Amino acid sequence: MTEVMSKISIEKISQSKITEVDFNNIVFGKQFSDHMFVADYKDGKWSDFKILPFGKIEVSPACAALHYGQAVFEGMKAYKNEQNEVLLFRPLDNAKRLNISAKRLCMPEIPEDIFMEGLTQLIKLDSEWVPKTEGSSLYIRPYMFASEQLLGVRPADEYKFIIFTAPVNSYYAEPVNVKIETSYSRATEGGVGYAKAAGNYAAALYPAKLGQDAGYQQLIWTDSVNHEYIEESGTMNVMFHIGDKLITPNLDFKTTLAGITRNSVLTLAKDLGITVEERRVSVTEVINAAKEGVLKDVFGTGTAATIAQVASITFKDDKYVLPKIEERELSNKLAKMLQEIKHEKIEDKYSWIHKI
Ligand SMILES: *Cc1c(COP(=O)(O)O)cnc(C)c1O
């Protein structure tokens, strides 16, 4: 750790932009914190660790990521507790997952200590940017891309790893109307569905737009072979509360991303005495449960919204409306527990919190 730390050069911004931010009305994705962390991969190793004022970076027009898509990312958040200390939620899991994604895209791994030290130094320097208000947080975007000028198709030899951050207000997700997608696919077996690859998002935009134009805020993705089994909802994992069980697609087919929120929710649900099943979930099972009145809840899980409840599910021409939000005891409870753990209001029995 200390060795990495001593290697990070820090160039501070001359004047902080924080006075320009109204923390009660943050414009999502338009306001960024003062600094960013940058590391370069060259000659087979990571070096040149630096913290700089947030700003433009120069890349060649022949930058490999722009043509062949070697680009992976992460998404995580920093919170504050009552004492104004800055807290991260399971950050090492993001570091590990970034490397799983990098490996699949034939990119170099970033050593966990560099990821953690760059992140820690950056958040320390910009700790004023972590909102204090309940529910608000500092969104953190670590990512890596092939920066080499390259035309031939091969894994690049040069990469950049960057972390920048942006304050975000509490994200209240209006329950969404979703459609079960039966033409397009997000992922295929043998593909890159389990990686947080930039291209997965690009490929999902068009079907998502068609869905939105038809009145559905999200798509429920199904398997690419027969569109018979459910995989994810939009860019979130998806869970079904059927009878007294919480059921979610398993990860064995590598078409579903291993969400950190997913894992946390399943852990907490088990603690509450709920039977949790990770297995294939067929469209038929969900629709039959809805018809029989035992589909109590459907919700997405992910860092951005934590838990996003689904208002209705449409399959082919039939729309199934889910129970009122107040009746969704389990997901309401899980959302509250996670929120309280993230702000150190209740016991963190799994040591998920990492204090900066
Ligand atoms: C990031 C992501 C998730 C959620 O992961 P978290 O670690 O919970 O934020 C789920 N599905 C996809 C496709 C994702 O990219």
Side-chain angles (χ1 to χ4, degrees):
M1 276 288 191
T2 41
E3 206 204 324
V4 184
M5 188 154 55
S6 64
K7 285 194 224 148
I8 301 180
S9 71
I10 299 181
E11 182 194 327
K12 285 190 193 164
I13 199 165
S14 50
Q15 185 165 14
S16 174
K17 296 172 294 175
I18 200 159
T19 49
E20 295 164 22
V21 182
D22 171 4
F23 275 88
N24 295 314
N25 289 296
I26 300 163
V27 190
F28 180 71
K30 292 279 177 225
Q31 288 170 309
F32 299 96
S33 323
D34 286 332
H35 299 93
M36 60 184 183
F37 173 77
V38 182
D40 286 291
Y41 183 88
K42 215 176 168 175
D43 303 324
K45 61 179 199 305
W46 288 101
S47 62
D48 210 4
F49 309 116
K50 47 194 181 284
I51 288 176
L52 302 168
F54 176 88
K56 291 184 179 164
I57 52 167
E58 204 165 76
V59 292
S60 161
C63 165
L66 297 178
H67 303 266
Y68 304 132
Q70 275 186 296
V72 296
F73 69 98
E74 273 303 320
M76 52 205 290
K77 285 177 171 177
Y79 308 85
K80 272 187 179 156
N81 62 12
E82 293 281 352
Q83 297 81 44
N84 256 341
E85 292 169 306
V86 177
L87 315 171
L88 297 174
F89 185 72
R90 308 184 68 173
L92 204 53
D93 290 320
N94 293 94
K96 289 184 195 301
R97 190 172 64 190
L98 185 73
N99 285 333
I100 290 171
S101 302
K103 189 171 180 192
R104 179 62 183 82
L105 277 282
C106 210
M107 301 165 77
E109 295 185 16
I110 182 106
E112 286 167 14
D113 62 341
I114 297 176
F115 182 104
M116 287 305 297
E117 197 53 39
L119 178 65
T120 304
Q121 295 282 316
L122 179 68
I123 303 296
K124 260 193 190 149
L125 188 60
D126 283 344
S127 63
E128 286 299 311
W129 286 85
V130 184
K132 296 180 190 85
T133 29
E134 171 93 44
S136 296
S137 57
L138 186 71
Y139 188 81
I140 303 167
R141 169 52 53 83
Y143 68 110
M144 192 202 296
F145 66 94
S147 53
E148 189 187 1
Q149 318 194 45
L150 187 66
L151 272 182
V153 180
R154 60 159 169 81
D157 286 331
E158 293 168 20
Y159 296 84
K160 269 189 192 297
F161 171 71
I162 298 179
I163 309 175
F164 67 80
T165 70
V168 289
N169 276 143
S170 93
Y171 186 107
Y172 172 70
E174 233 4 271
V176 288
N177 296 303
V178 303
K179 183 188 100 164
I180 296 181
E181 178 58 54
T182 50
S183 307
Y184 294 95
S185 304
R186 192 195 80 87
T188 59
E189 268 188 69
V192 294
Y194 67 96
K196 234 173 154 70
N200 284 344
Y201 279 65
L205 292 174
Y206 181 63
K209 182 178 186 305
L210 294 180
Q212 279 155 16
D213 289 347
Y216 306 101
Q217 291 95 350
Q218 282 309 344
L219 299 177
I220 296 232
W221 298 107
T222 52
D223 74 276
S224 63
V225 183
N226 295 317
H227 298 291
E228 206 179 323
Y229 295 101
I230 291 171
E231 292 179 341
E232 300 213 43
S233 170
T235 57
M236 302 180 94
N237 294 113
V238 63
M239 305 204 177
F240 301 89
H241 189 192
I242 301 178
D244 351 311
K245 290 180 186 164
L246 186 63
I247 305 169
T248 195
N250 53 345
L251 305 175
D252 306 75
F253 304 94
K254 295 197 160 187
T255 49
T256 297
L257 192 112
I260 295 162
T261 317
R262 174 188 181 279
N263 178 275
S264 308
V265 162
L266 296 180
T267 304
L268 295 177
K270 284 178 205 163
D271 276 357
L272 292 173
I274 305 291
T275 303
V276 167
E277 292 182 359
E278 290 177 72
R279 57 167 171 80
R280 292 204 113 175
V281 184
S282 71
V283 174
T284 314
E285 175 181 3
V286 170
I287 297 305
N288 285 344
K291 283 182 182 160
E292 289 158 18
V294 290
L295 183 61
K296 291 183 183 160
D297 200 355
V298 179
F299 56 93
T301 67
T303 296
T306 309
I307 287 184
Q309 290 152 323
V310 167
S312 72
I313 295 190
T314 300
F315 177 53
K316 301 219 163 102
D317 293 325
D318 294 317
K319 180 173 177 174
Y320 302 90
V321 176
L322 286 143
K324 290 204 227 33
I325 294 303
E326 312 83 81
E327 291 168 18
R328 317 254 189 122
E329 243 172 78
L330 180 60
S331 61
N332 290 337
K333 179 151 201 182
L334 289 166
K336 185 161 179 276
M337 284 173 84
L338 269 175
Q339 168 96 336
E340 289 177 340
I341 293 172
K342 288 172 177 179
H343 290 270
E344 273 196 325
K345 292 199 166 154
I346 55 172
E347 194 201 343
D348 169 30
K349 78 185 235 209
Y350 297 100
S351 302
W352 285 336
I353 294 301
H354 176 97
K355 209 168 275 186
I356 290 286

CSV table of all heavy atoms in Angstrom, one decimal, residues 9 15 46 105 117 188 219 236 302 305 320:
chain,number,residue,atom,x,y,z
A,9,SER,N,1.4,11.0,-7.7
A,9,SER,CA,1.6,12.4,-7.7
A,9,SER,C,0.3,13.1,-7.7
A,9,SER,O,-0.7,12.7,-8.3
A,9,SER,CB,2.5,12.8,-8.9
A,9,SER,OG,1.7,12.7,-10.0
A,15,GLN,N,-8.7,26.3,-7.9
A,15,GLN,CA,-9.9,26.7,-7.1
A,15,GLN,C,-11.0,25.7,-7.2
A,15,GLN,O,-11.4,25.3,-8.3
A,15,GLN,CB,-10.4,28.1,-7.6
A,15,GLN,CG,-11.5,28.6,-6.7
A,15,GLN,CD,-11.8,30.0,-6.9
A,15,GLN,OE1,-11.4,30.7,-7.9
A,15,GLN,NE2,-12.6,30.6,-6.0
A,46,TRP,N,1.7,-1.2,-15.0
A,46,TRP,CA,1.0,0.0,-14.6
A,46,TRP,C,2.0,1.0,-14.0
A,46,TRP,O,2.8,0.6,-13.1
A,46,TRP,CB,-0.2,-0.3,-13.6
A,46,TRP,CG,-1.3,-1.0,-14.2
A,46,TRP,CD1,-1.6,-2.3,-14.2
A,46,TRP,CD2,-2.3,-0.4,-15.0
A,46,TRP,NE1,-2.7,-2.6,-14.9
A,46,TRP,CE2,-3.2,-1.5,-15.4
A,46,TRP,CE3,-2.6,0.9,-15.5
A,46,TRP,CZ2,-4.3,-1.2,-16.2
A,46,TRP,CZ3,-3.8,1.1,-16.3
A,46,TRP,CH2,-4.6,0.0,-16.6
A,105,LEU,N,-12.2,-9.2,-21.7
A,105,LEU,CA,-12.0,-8.3,-22.9
A,105,LEU,C,-10.5,-8.3,-23.3
A,105,LEU,O,-10.0,-7.5,-24.0
A,105,LEU,CB,-12.4,-6.9,-22.6
A,105,LEU,CG,-13.9,-6.5,-22.7
A,105,LEU,CD1,-14.3,-6.3,-24.2
A,105,LEU,CD2,-14.9,-7.5,-22.1
A,117,GLU,N,-5.9,2.2,-3.5
A,117,GLU,CA,-5.1,3.3,-3.0
A,117,GLU,C,-5.5,4.6,-3.9
A,117,GLU,O,-5.6,5.7,-3.3
A,117,GLU,CB,-3.6,3.0,-3.1
A,117,GLU,CG,-2.7,3.9,-2.3
A,117,GLU,CD,-3.2,4.1,-0.9
A,117,GLU,OE1,-3.6,3.1,-0.2
A,117,GLU,OE2,-3.1,5.2,-0.4
A,188,THR,N,-25.3,-13.6,-24.5
A,188,THR,CA,-25.5,-14.9,-24.9
A,188,THR,C,-24.5,-15.8,-24.2
A,188,THR,O,-23.4,-15.3,-23.7
A,188,THR,CB,-25.1,-15.1,-26.4
A,188,THR,OG1,-23.7,-14.6,-26.6
A,188,THR,CG2,-26.0,-14.3,-27.3
A,219,LEU,N,-36.7,-3.1,-20.0
A,219,LEU,CA,-36.9,-4.4,-20.6
A,219,LEU,C,-36.5,-5.5,-19.6
A,219,LEU,O,-35.5,-5.3,-18.9
A,219,LEU,CB,-36.1,-4.6,-21.9
A,219,LEU,CG,-36.3,-3.6,-23.0
A,219,LEU,CD1,-35.4,-3.9,-24.1
A,219,LEU,CD2,-37.8,-3.7,-23.5
A,236,MET,N,-30.0,-3.8,-14.4
A,236,MET,CA,-30.0,-4.3,-13.0
A,236,MET,C,-30.3,-5.8,-13.0
A,236,MET,O,-30.8,-6.3,-14.0
A,236,MET,CB,-31.2,-3.6,-12.3
A,236,MET,CG,-31.1,-2.1,-12.3
A,236,MET,SD,-32.5,-1.3,-11.4
A,236,MET,CE,-31.8,-1.1,-9.8
A,302,GLY,N,-29.3,-2.8,-8.1
A,302,GLY,CA,-28.1,-2.2,-8.6
A,302,GLY,C,-27.7,-1.0,-7.8
A,302,GLY,O,-28.5,-0.4,-7.1
A,305,ALA,N,-29.9,2.7,-8.1
A,305,ALA,CA,-31.2,2.9,-7.4
A,305,ALA,C,-31.3,2.0,-6.2
A,305,ALA,O,-32.3,2.1,-5.4
A,305,ALA,CB,-32.3,2.6,-8.3
A,320,TYR,N,-49.6,-7.4,-16.6
A,320,TYR,CA,-49.8,-7.9,-15.2
A,320,TYR,C,-49.4,-6.8,-14.2
A,320,TYR,O,-48.2,-6.4,-14.2
A,320,TYR,CB,-49.1,-9.2,-14.9
A,320,TYR,CG,-49.5,-10.3,-15.9
A,320,TYR,CD1,-48.8,-10.4,-17.1
A,320,TYR,CD2,-50.6,-11.1,-15.7
A,320,TYR,CE1,-49.1,-11.4,-18.1
A,320,TYR,CE2,-50.9,-12.1,-16.6
A,320,TYR,CZ,-50.2,-12.2,-17.8
A,320,TYR,OH,-50.6,-13.1,-18.7
